[in-house]
Amino acid sequence: MSGESGKGPLDLGAAELREALLAGEHTVVEVVEAHLARARERDGELSAFQFLDDERALARARELDAARAAGEPPGPLFGVPLALKANMCLAGVETNCGSRVLSGYRPPYTATFVERALAAGAVPLGITQMDEFAMGSSGENSAYGCPRNPWDPTRSAGGSSSGSAVAVAAGLCPISLGSDTGGSVRQPAAFCGIYGLKPTYGRVSRYGLVAFGSSLDQVSPFARNVRDLELVLETISGHDPRDSTSLPLPPFEPERPAELMRLAGLRVGVPSQYRGEGLDAEVGTVCDAALAQLESMGAELVPIELPSTEHAIPTYYVVATAEASSNLARYDGSLYGARVEGDGSLQGMFAATREAGFGEEVKRRILLGTYVLSAGYYEAWYGQALKVRTLLRRDFERAFESVDLVAGPTAPTGAFRLGEKTSDALEMYLSDVFTVPASLAGLPAVSLPAGFLPGDGGLPVGLQLIGPALAEARLLRVAAAFEAATDHHARRPRPLEAGGVA
Amino acid sequence: MSSVAGFRREGVEWISEATGTRWVPVIGLEVHAQLRTRTKLFCGCANEYGAPPNSLTCPVCTGQPGTLPVLNGDALELAVRAALAIGAEVAPRSKFDRKNYFYCDVPKNYQITQYDQPYCQGGGVELPSGRRVRLNRIHIEEDAGKSMHETEGVTLVDLNRAGVPLIESVTEADLDGAQDAADYLTALREILVYAGVSNADMEKGEMRCDVNVSVHPAGEPWRTKVEIKNLNSISNVVGAIEHEIPRQIAAWEGDGPDPVQETRLFDAAKGATRSMRTKEGEADYRYFPDPDLPPVTADEAFVEAQRAALPELPAARRERYQSRMGLSAYDAGVLTASRDVADFFEAAARLSGEPKEAANWISNEVLRALSGDELEAEHIDELPLKPFDLAELIGLLDKGVLHASGARQVLREMMRTGKAAGELVIELGLEQVQDDGALEAWCREALEARPEVAEQVRDGKTKAVGALMGAVMQASGGKANPQKVREILLRLIGVEE
């Protein structure tokens, strides 16, 4: 199945794959079959997918081949296999958010961003595993199985978009969609050694993304190269009249600089708060090397302060849980999803359904969110959190007066062992310490493969770049320059190397 | 208002016969009115009454996971017009909040409403008594669905109404009795209907009312208030208040527990309120700003555009009918009681150039016919008769083609069939005889038959000519023009008028 490029379809990124398809090297059916076969072969071990939807994927592939044969113009994601997180609505396909309470729920409609990806020619292969309702940083809070990190199956792939990250990292598909509320795409991207981009809040429509923290949630792509990341963002972004919080802007357009690797004049802010307590020393060393690389390409590293950072985690856990407590109220067994009758009364059914349907972490956050919104506590908690959120925004605004972007580690550690943090919720929450500030400020941020830890079997490390609102093009230009100058992104997990390219 | 045993009523006061204490009621109303939009508040489903259960629903208004609300701009326009119609202030910026509570007819288990920053504050409504009821605020919110508890353990839910746009208006506690409440609801309804904001049909649930009632001895501070919820007719509002006032007084005066802050329901069949829940049982609604909806802005240009779109309201119309058209206060009141009638009247008055005539025909004939049961139509806009037809009829009267009783006959047929006046005059053979020769012949016959009457007229009793006119009318089969007959008779008798 190897084409003129010498690479099989499984080795190609989305843009390359499209080119190969248009060059007639493969048919879409061949490409999709190859990915489905790989996924089936590998997923017993990795558990990236909740389920593969062979039938739908192949039917779609045949349609695309036929459309191509009929001379229809190919979309920007023509024939590209795609994985969707289990909180994304595709009409008729189970969207359970990793929760028992939504088991069997098939939405009657399709999310705007999924529609756009489909219209661009993407082929959804299946639905990926996630922490229940996107609450978690390890993939362990799912009712349907926990993905394994392809670099070390005893370790977490990160979360909550665990399965979508694993699918791309392990080569089960070239691109996938996750959702990032407080780091749910960037942190697993870092753990799995791939790219993850959280766009500016409002860039991508949330219509059809099952809500966790509505003021934070953004659909976010994973890819193995920067060009693919751009391609997906171009496809799914742009105003959607069905989401009042989507920005009134046309789709994202990438910058294509003439001199990719020149970063002269770029001022990179390095916040002291992103290097403090809790940061694994080796992760810090890898990030320092990555920053030095940027410097060697002409960027200027500027020490900056983001003083409100220390309040970001508590603020996030107030805002996100408050919104979640209300967003998740609808799962009561009355209209859809699972139902447990309870004592026969209406309230009894609600209580029994929710008691049986939600996992422990989701219940913890609903309780927390309910508490912070309660009469008498609102001002002290939710009201206060909104104020701190404003301070965090101002921190960034001030920083961006003197720097073009902010850089630091995506996560304080490399991928931790499964089970390592499950007993301590607070410690788990702290793995989002560097990703949460950009979420609260609504800013775009990308995690890129920055290098590998010397110990721990060489786990990947992610570097996070945070930009001002709508500066995705800038972030991606810098990411592309770094990509061109390094080969961290090209290194794949071992099993993949073993079973992959001939 | 009815008399209640154990009390004497003096003005607003309830005087307890047992203690002689003069009790003063304090009443405030919260009124929900459905906005007359084509679609629901946050989705594209039709806002209609009477469709099969759950046929007017979509992923958004059934609260499917992942769906988002988008504000219906028409709802905001109508809501702003309601605010302007009661002279209230429109906030340049307001926001939507979530009111969280679990119930099966609230698909998201929260209602989108406006909590601490409503779009409208202040304003007021004049009552016929001259009293002005001040409004505290109006806010926009979505309606819940309808749940029907069939048999034990079975609840049916219809979500057609879920997401229908409502405005909730809250008065200050300016009312002091059931009559006030009834007057207020009537006046508010009239304004909302006139402004085109709501149909406010209480029978269809398009307008619903919660009542807050407390009582206190005259001159003393106000006491604990009780809320009576979900009153769906003016008579239920009156009934609930008339029951609740003496119940509270009896509780204050008796040895039992004093009234507590609670929510009660009115049982119309029993004519009594009963406790639904006390304050301790109230849900904590955990209001917070809805992150799915950006703040609502209503800038000056927008508000002014709504003001321009606002039709003239009933009080202004009544004033104009009297001062410019010369109608009586009574007629002006009758004609403005509904916007359709007033619009009909104005069109007929304009087309005929005879506002007083148009007013008389509408209030004496058309409205009477509508209230009777000889016609199928109940509302003036359901009649086949249009303002143009009435104007034509008035024109025929003016020209003397028809006399009044013939015109009445024609009008009745017009209301039934929608045929044109001219056509009916011929069809019914009602054309007046205008031919002077024929009229004069009948007049001479009458004079010859009753010469003594001519004498009386010559002696100055001009009124006596009526007897001769009767004879002429009879001879003509009712088709003679009475005005002309009179002129001819007087000329023949030789009397100048």
Side-chain angles (χ1 to χ4, degrees):
Chain A
M1 199 179 273
S2 123
E4 283 163 38
S5 59
K7 283 178 167 182
L10 291 166
D11 311 308
L12 300 176
E16 295 170 315
L17 195 53
R18 178 177 180 273
E19 280 159 27
L21 282 163
L22 296 189
E25 290 175 28
H26 317 283
T27 64
V28 179
V29 168
E30 283 167 11
V31 165
V32 168
E33 275 176 344
H35 282 91
L36 284 170
R38 161 76 67 86
R40 211 162 286 295
E41 176 201 336
R42 295 292 319 282
D43 212 36
E45 179 194 355
L46 294 171
S47 197
F49 284 93
Q50 277 192 0
F51 55 90
L52 290 163
D53 197 343
D54 299 51
E55 205 176 312
R56 194 179 287 257
L58 288 168
R60 179 79 185 127
R62 281 189 289 271
E63 269 173 34
L64 288 165
D65 280 331
R68 179 80 184 123
E72 285 178 32
L77 292 176
F78 177 79
V80 177
L82 169 78
L84 298 174
K85 189 175 177 178
N87 57 357
M88 300 177 167
C89 292
L90 175 54
V93 175
E94 176 160 344
T95 302
N96 58 39
C97 295
S99 181
R100 281 186 301 273
V101 86
L102 275 178
S103 72
Y105 174 68
R106 290 164 194 270
Y109 74 103
T110 299
T112 303
F113 57 91
V114 175
E115 264 175 8
R116 289 180 179 172
L118 289 171
V123 183
L125 292 186
I127 303 299
T128 61
Q129 299 283 9
M130 61 183 283
D131 283 302
E132 184 177 7
F133 285 107
M135 297 177 184
S137 308
S138 69
E140 290 161 296
N141 301 332
S142 167
Y144 302 98
C146 176
R148 309 273 164 165
N149 192 314
W151 295 88
D152 176 351
T154 67
R155 291 179 185 269
S156 166
S160 67
S161 308
S162 326
S164 287
V166 172
V168 169
L172 313 187
C173 52
I175 52 172
S176 66
L177 293 178
S179 64
D180 191 312
T181 305
S184 280
V185 160
R186 289 163 286 161
Q187 183 251 22
F191 278 19
C192 293
I194 57 174
Y195 293 89
L197 168 70
K198 184 196 89 75
T200 306
Y201 183 78
R203 259 288 191 202
V204 182
S205 165
R206 293 186 293 118
Y207 188 79
L209 173 71
V210 181
F212 158 22
S214 310
S215 72
L216 301 153
D217 297 341
Q218 269 295 285
V219 175
S220 306
F222 290 106
R224 293 192 297 259
N225 63 68
V226 176
R227 192 173 156 208
D228 285 0
L229 215 49
E230 288 177 341
L231 199 55
V232 180
L233 186 61
E234 278 179 87
T235 305
I236 63 173
S237 60
H239 179 66
D240 176 12
R242 288 181 291 189
D243 175 1
S244 314
T245 64
S246 89
L247 296 167
L249 292 173
F252 164 79
E253 275 182 58
E255 279 175 19
R256 306 252 184 241
E259 291 178 274
L260 179 62
M261 286 169 64
R262 253 177 73 85
L263 297 179
L266 184 81
R267 294 172 61 86
V268 176
V270 183
S272 68
Q273 287 78 8
Y274 286 27
R275 357 213 53 228
E277 207 185 325
L279 175 65
D280 178 277
E282 289 183 340
V283 169
T285 305
V286 172
C287 284
D288 284 345
L291 291 172
Q293 172 67 40
L294 292 176
E295 201 173 19
S296 75
M297 295 161 74
E300 185 188 345
L301 301 183
V302 183
I304 60 164
E305 298 299 318
L306 297 172
S308 303
T309 302
E310 59 170 318
H311 304 301
I313 285 284
T315 301
Y316 173 81
Y317 277 92
V318 172
V319 173
T321 60
E323 292 176 0
S325 72
S326 174
N327 286 332
L328 271 58
R330 68 188 67 189
Y331 308 119
D332 62 11
S334 59
L335 278 174
Y336 43 70
R339 174 188 290 185
V340 180
E341 294 292 350
D343 65 8
S345 73
L346 208 54
Q347 296 293 329
M349 176 184 86
F350 294 171
T353 298
R354 292 165 69 78
E355 169 59 29
F358 290 134
E360 194 188 343
E361 180 61 24
V362 171
K363 284 180 193 162
R364 178 173 14 246
R365 296 201 197 185
I366 290 174
L367 284 173
L368 198 57
T370 303
Y371 175 77
V372 300
L373 290 176
S374 298
Y377 299 96
Y378 180 95
E379 269 316 313
W381 292 102
Y382 190 74
Q384 189 64 16
L386 293 186
K387 285 178 198 151
V388 178
R389 193 172 182 181
T390 304
L391 294 180
L392 277 155
R393 274 201 197 99
R394 291 214 188 113
D395 272 9
F396 279 109
E397 279 164 17
R398 213 169 294 125
F400 288 127
E401 284 168 12
S402 59
V403 299
D404 300 307
L405 52 85
V406 168
T410 305
T413 65
F416 45 79
R417 289 188 189 283
L418 288 168
E420 189 180 324
K421 301 196 177 193
T422 43
S423 58
D424 187 343
L426 203 57
E427 203 185 319
M428 187 73 94
Y429 294 174
L430 285 172
S431 66
D432 296 331
V433 64
F434 300 136
T435 47
V436 153
S439 297
L440 286 166
L443 301 177
V446 63
S447 178
L448 48 91
F452 295 85
L453 295 177
D456 277 347
L459 292 170
V461 172
L463 179 73
Q464 178 180 228
L465 306 179
I466 304 170
L470 301 175
E472 284 89 345
R474 186 187 304 166
L475 293 182
L476 292 170
R477 180 168 62 82
V478 176
F482 187 84
E483 178 184 43
T486 61
D487 61 358
H488 310 304
H489 63 282
R491 212 157 122 190
R492 302 266 50 93
R494 244 181 9 93
L496 192 65
E497 283 168 356
V501 197
Chain B
M1 300 294 116
S2 58
S3 64
V4 177
F7 293 94
R8 211 151 44 75
R9 312 274 290 268
E10 263 185 38
V12 304
E13 293 178 351
W14 292 61
I15 301 155
S16 164
E17 284 171 359
T19 62
T21 310
R22 294 172 166 272
W23 292 92
V24 181
V26 177
I27 295 165
L29 301 183
E30 294 168 18
V31 179
H32 288 88
Q34 272 184 19
L35 294 175
R36 224 175 88 174
T37 50
R38 204 172 49 76
T39 56
K40 292 185 181 182
L41 185 54
F42 296 117
C43 67
C45 289
N47 172 15
E48 276 171 28
Y49 179 78
N54 296 309
S55 61
L56 307 177
T57 58
C58 74
V60 175
C61 61
T62 55
Q64 300 287 321
T67 58
L68 296 169
V70 176
L71 180 63
N72 177 347
D74 292 350
L76 183 64
E77 290 188 3
L78 293 182
V80 166
R81 285 180 208 171
L84 298 173
I86 57 148
E89 227 159 283
V90 176
R93 199 180 144 96
S94 62
K95 67 176 171 75
F96 284 102
D97 301 280
R98 293 186 184 178
K99 178 180 180 178
N100 295 285
Y101 65 103
F102 281 86
Y103 203 66
C104 60
D105 56 20
V106 183
K108 304 183 294 293
N109 282 331
Y110 61 80
Q111 178 195 27
I112 304 177
T113 180
Q114 297 191 299
Y115 179 54
D116 55 351
Q117 289 176 37
Y119 83 98
C120 164
Q121 281 182 310
V125 171
E126 292 295 328
L127 304 190
S129 63
R131 157 166 293 181
R132 181 179 155 81
V133 177
R134 292 167 302 155
L135 270 85
N136 175 285
R137 61 183 274 168
I138 310 180
H139 66 258
I140 305 171
E141 63 185 26
E142 58 176 346
D143 207 344
K146 225 163 109 179
S147 49
M148 289 147 283
H149 305 282
E150 289 287 292
T151 50
E152 184 69 17
V154 178
T155 301
L156 298 178
V157 180
D158 177 7
L159 295 178
N160 283 354
R161 219 179 59 188
V164 159
L166 300 178
I167 48 174
E168 178 176 350
S169 53
V170 183
T171 72
E172 300 291 354
D174 282 354
L175 306 120
D176 51 30
Q179 184 62 51
D180 260 8
D183 287 352
Y184 170 77
L185 288 170
T186 306
L188 180 67
R189 182 177 182 280
E190 189 181 71
I191 292 169
L192 296 177
V193 172
Y194 258 81
V197 164
S198 172
N199 293 327
D201 186 338
M202 291 189 90
E203 274 179 29
K204 291 183 182 168
E206 291 168 342
M207 184 160 132
R208 308 190 289 271
C209 185
D210 304 338
V211 182
N212 287 294
V213 182
S214 71
V215 296
H216 61 272
E220 287 186 18
W222 292 3
R223 296 194 178 181
T224 312
K225 75 170 180 192
V226 165
E227 184 178 29
I228 309 160
K229 266 193 135 37
N230 293 330
L231 298 163
N232 54 10
S233 71
I234 292 182
S235 65
N236 281 354
V237 170
V238 168
I241 293 173
E242 285 284 300
H243 168 268
E244 184 61 16
I245 291 170
R247 186 194 72 81
Q248 287 186 22
I249 296 174
W252 289 118
E253 291 190 338
D255 299 329
D258 288 343
V260 291
Q261 192 174 335
E262 62 177 344
T263 302
R264 298 179 72 86
L265 291 174
F266 179 63
D267 184 334
K270 289 186 187 150
T273 63
R274 64 185 156 82
S275 184
M276 184 169 108
R277 56 170 184 251
T278 58
K279 189 168 186 289
E280 289 68 42
E282 296 271 343
D284 174 359
Y285 292 122
R286 292 175 282 114
Y287 288 99
F288 76 108
D290 192 329
D292 290 333
L293 289 161
V296 181
T297 52
D299 61 22
E300 212 181 305
F302 175 75
V303 172
E304 287 317 307
Q306 300 322 309
R307 200 188 302 281
L310 203 60
E312 190 185 21
L313 294 171
R317 283 196 180 193
R318 279 193 286 274
E319 188 349 78
R320 184 164 55 85
Y321 292 177
Q322 293 174 63
S323 64
R324 302 239 200 106
M325 297 183 174
L327 302 196
S328 67
Y330 176 80
D331 276 348
V334 169
L335 293 173
T336 53
S338 108
R339 182 178 166 185
D340 296 336
V341 173
D343 287 348
F344 190 102
F345 158 69
E346 290 197 24
R350 194 177 59 245
L351 292 165
S352 67
E354 298 274 2
K356 274 183 156 174
E357 281 295 302
N360 286 337
W361 284 102
I362 293 169
S363 57
N364 294 336
E365 301 299 330
V366 179
L367 295 181
R368 186 168 305 160
L370 284 171
S371 63
D373 31 62
E374 66 263 42
L375 292 174
E376 262 180 49
E378 285 180 25
H379 300 287
I380 201 161
D381 56 349
E382 295 162 10
L383 284 176
L385 172 83
K386 301 299 164 206
F388 174 82
D389 302 318
L390 182 60
E392 191 194 357
L393 183 74
I394 293 169
L396 292 176
L397 262 166
D398 274 358
K399 284 186 216 134
V401 177
L402 265 176
H403 55 80
S405 71
R408 266 192 289 278
Q409 205 181 329
V410 169
L411 183 60
R412 272 197 295 277
E413 279 307 296
M414 290 166 89
M415 286 192 280
R416 220 169 48 76
T417 63
K419 287 185 183 166
E423 190 185 336
L424 284 167
V425 167
I426 296 164
E427 223 173 84
L428 300 172
L430 292 171
E431 282 163 290
Q432 288 196 15
V433 177
Q434 303 281 12
D435 172 5
D436 286 3
L439 291 176
E440 200 168 318
W442 284 322
C443 288
R444 284 185 194 284
E445 274 172 39
L447 279 167
E448 277 163 31
R450 313 265 311 263
E452 76 285 0
V453 180
E455 278 311 310
Q456 290 173 353
V457 174
R458 275 191 208 98
D459 291 348
K461 292 175 83 178
T462 318
K463 264 192 189 165
V465 81
L468 297 171
M469 285 178 68
V472 174
M473 295 307 290
Q474 205 171 359
S476 72
K479 294 184 186 179
N481 179 334
Q483 196 56 42
K484 274 201 165 163
V485 171
R486 185 182 156 89
E487 281 168 29
I488 294 169
L489 283 169
L490 291 175
R491 179 164 51 78
L492 291 175
I493 295 166
V495 177
E496 294 285 319
E497 239 188 326

